[in-house]
Amino acid sequence: MKTVICEEPGKLAVADQPIPQPGPDDVLIRVKRIGVCGTDLHIFTGNQPYLAYPRVMGHELAGIVESAPAGARVQAGDQVYVMPYLSCGRCVACRAGKTNCCTNIRVLGVHTDGGMTEYLAVPQGFVFKADGVTLDQAAMIEFLAIGAHAVARADVKANERVLVVGAGPIGMAATIFAKLRGARVYVLDGRADRLAACATALGADGTVELDTSEAGADKARLAELTDGEFFEVVFDATGNAKAMERGLEFVAHGGRYVLISIVNSRISFSDPEFHKRETTLLASRNATVADFETVLAAMRAGKIPTDALNTHKLSLAELPSEFPKLLDPGAGVIKALVAC
């Protein structure tokens, strides 16, 4: 089978590997679609803190079951999606139902080899039917679930003012699910094309272009939009430490600040600003089974503009040559899907 391996930062290679032999608890999947995630781009550029090379990337996965254990909830021929966070089920987080932050977690494509390959064996507990959606849609469930999880963490309510900082796929996912809860959602980003997509495809209530100068015109505009009160909920989805530190300035007094992003460095805030707002600071990591189900239900109901999100398609064989192009802002990539 063809497998794409990231041998080191900046280098992808196609290798011929044997089809995996599934263990007694494994489902063997014929991988049909792979979503390219920001994590994959960070692995390619050498900016992912939880990874050793070489690595087979890919954790946004959809496919067809080739074989499954007797009594499994999926059977040969089923269309499925994969929950790529392989949790242990025993640790303090798992016992509390927080499998997304399992102390022994192994994320496909990060801690262990993932799905940029033609066949993949996955423990049956992490494979779910994807009835009622297309393969393209099924491959987008995972990144959308990260946004859904963040919105659930914040307990976003109808009519709350929400700011999403960073209009990449994860920020767009948070925008979608905050809107579905009835919030008034605004998006801050430096890319006009992504702001336009948030406004036209996602129904954002307003967009503001980032201003990194000392003038701070973006902050003034955000203040204007909220009568100087700013936002009950702010999500950071930038992957930028300075942006994460600055985002506290946009949180209303009594508000919640949710960091979806992760960076391989320390971040800090002004303690007086943090305290005078009595800010609730939340990390949001991965997603749970319930979040995946939330996304699937919304997809089936036609509430997610998946066609607008999927801007690029390519084949597994094209990845080594085409992957670097996905890093070019001029390419206008929101979500690229790889077809196998």
Side-chain angles (χ1 to χ4, degrees), residues 40-56:
D40 302 318
L41 300 176
H42 292 156
I43 292 169
F44 182 75
T45 56
N47 188 30
Q48 219 293 335
Y50 299 130
L51 181 126
Y53 298 89
R55 178 62 70 222
V56 178

Side-chain angles (χ1 to χ4, degrees), residues 38-120:
T39 297
D40 302 318
L41 300 176
H42 292 156
I43 292 169
F44 182 75
T45 56
N47 188 30
Q48 219 293 335
Y50 299 130
L51 181 126
Y53 298 89
R55 178 62 70 222
V56 178
M57 302 183 294
H59 60 272
E60 300 179 6
L61 307 173
I64 304 296
V65 174
E66 288 283 315
S67 66
R73 63 171 164 255
V74 298
Q75 299 178 348
D78 285 346
Q79 178 175 290
V80 295
Y81 66 86
V82 174
M83 186 172 179
Y85 327 122
L86 307 184
S87 52
C88 73
R90 302 180 302 275
C91 72
V92 60
C94 288
R95 294 198 306 271
K98 299 179 180 181
T99 56
N100 58 301
C101 53
C102 167
T103 62
N104 303 301
I105 201 164
R106 293 181 303 124
V107 179
L108 293 175
V110 180
H111 306 97
T112 188
D113 283 344
M116 285 189 178
T117 186
E118 293 182 306
Y119 292 88
L120 186 67

Side-chain angles (χ1 to χ4, degrees), residues 138-205:
M140 289 190 270
I141 292 173
E142 191 273 341
F143 89 85
L144 290 163
I146 292 176
H149 182 75
V151 169
R153 283 279 285 157
D155 191 21
V156 172
K157 298 177 176 61
N159 295 316
E160 284 192 312
R161 293 166 296 189
V162 170
L163 176 66
V164 177
V165 186
I170 301 300
M172 289 186 179
T175 299
I176 289 166
F177 286 96
K179 285 293 296 179
L180 288 176
R181 286 187 172 221
R184 289 176 284 161
V185 184
Y186 301 81
V187 183
L188 173 67
D189 195 89
R191 284 181 53 174
D193 60 329
R194 288 196 168 173
L195 292 177
C198 288
T200 58
L202 309 186
D205 295 276

Side-chain angles (χ1 to χ4, degrees), residues 39 42 47-50 236-241 244 259-265 267 284-285:
T39 297
H42 292 156
N47 188 30
Q48 219 293 335
Y50 299 130
D236 177 87
T238 64
N240 180 284
M244 294 163 78
L259 301 180
I260 314 175
S261 294
I262 181 170
V263 290
N264 192 17
S265 63
I267 56 174
S284 183
R285 185 185 186 195

Side-chain angles (χ1 to χ4, degrees), residues 209-249:
E209 190 163 351
L210 181 71
D211 178 11
T212 57
S213 72
E214 292 185 8
D218 53 359
K219 184 176 180 180
R221 178 58 180 153
L222 294 171
E224 180 184 353
L225 289 168
T226 57
D227 297 323
E229 293 182 334
F230 290 101
F231 299 86
E232 284 87 354
V233 185
V234 176
F235 294 99
D236 177 87
T238 64
N240 180 284
K242 290 188 179 298
M244 294 163 78
E245 293 175 341
R246 185 183 183 223
L248 176 65
E249 300 175 14

